[in-house]
Amino acid sequence: MYDISKIRADFPILSREVYGKPLVYLDNAATAQKPLCVLDAMRDEYLNVNANVHRGVHYLSQQATDLHEAAREKVRQFINARKIEEIVFTRGTTEAINLVASSFCESQMQTGDEVIVTEMEHHSNIVSWQLQAMKRGIVVKHLALNDEGELLIDQLEPLISERTKLISVAHVSNVLGTVNPIDEIVEIAHRHGIPVLVDGAQSAPHFKIDVQAIDCDFFAFSGHKMYGPTGIGVLYGKEEWLEKLPPYQGGGEMIDKVTWEKTTFERLPFKFEAGTPDYVATHGLAKAIDYIDSIGFEAIQQHEQELTNYCMEQLMTIDGMKIYGPMGNLSPLTSHLLPLKDAVVSFNVGEIHHLDMGTLLDRLGIAVRTGHHCAQPLMDRLGISGTVRASFALYNTKEEVNTLVAGIRRVAQMF
């Protein structure tokens, strides 16, 4: 049984008030709240175990190192990577994508070589490649989407050329909630000998990830969107690819031997982890994974899908409502089948500006995101400046959806 009251009790912030109203937190695609078990674990480490990891011979350093490396193993299990050497800790999805863009382009691409992204990407998966285009003369191409917010997969193969070196794609759109057919994309890419990077920032919190089953070459995600701390993320990379790529940054931890003449680098994954890692945050991430596992992804996915479907059904009863992205899964969830739309509902109402809607909802205690959501090319494709976005987590309820809908009606009446 999905005990929502017990789950919500694990997140004290959900019981606070905003402007004298009970908080309705629907901005989970930006960042999720943290359960007490995560906060307690991090506080305990700072109080009792705090010491820099690796190389230290004293007890606290070894204890902190053990927790840090146990977190790496926890992440490996979480996404079913083959080896811990394939798990690189970063500051988040953005840094993970930048790492691949920098190191891959430096070692695997030449002027005129191409990377393919999609029209629905977060800026992290656009600007990272554009920076490399400015530095190295690579070409950034994009795969279009249809009016329903789904990728035109039949146009992917014609987009590929002999100069295409990598495809980088969001698993789930942070605006549309579209769950992209990653298996099909990977199959097409690999048929042409092209590796694939998957931006998993919006998928890792919501359904089970198996990087071996997906067969992607790189997979990036963030801790703070899956109930862990900010400033910690993960880059998974197949060992054969990580071995080929040069370090992203230089400094302590990532070296083997330094002389004035030459530096040699550490083995994987430490080659990509320059400087002191956020070893307390990695411990917090491990506890967040434990928390997710204690509830179970099947239960989480079913709960969030029911909320998403319910939200869309209720919103469509409002005059002037426009919802962006797939609408085809307004039916009971099939547990073994991924949804077309996941935990995100972006919308506008009539001529009401998204910022006005979000500001007035905030005065009712309802936290939603407004604007372009770091996806301006997608906004251009949709012909709008931005949307209001409600995004769900494992602790949200139908009652909160009802509060959102009532709030939108109230705002709409004002206009």
Side-chain angles (χ1 to χ4, degrees), residues 39-60:
L39 304 176
D40 290 344
M42 294 176 67
R43 183 175 187 270
D44 181 70
E45 182 165 3
Y46 273 126
L47 286 173
N48 297 303
V49 191
N50 186 46
N52 211 329
V53 296
H54 303 138
R55 297 187 304 276
V57 297
H58 61 84
Y59 181 83
L60 289 184

Side-chain angles (χ1 to χ4, degrees), residues 296-337:
F297 261 128
E298 185 171 346
I300 292 170
Q301 186 183 340
Q302 181 166 347
H303 174 74
E304 292 177 344
Q305 195 61 50
E306 288 174 354
L307 281 181
T308 304
N309 293 351
Y310 182 71
C311 182
M312 289 193 292
E313 289 168 348
Q314 296 304 306
L315 289 179
M316 290 306 294
T317 66
I318 298 173
D319 289 341
M321 175 61 62
K322 168 64 177 175
I323 296 177
Y324 300 93
M327 297 288 291
N329 59 333
L330 290 177
S331 59
L333 175 69
T334 304
S335 61
H336 67 277
L337 188 65

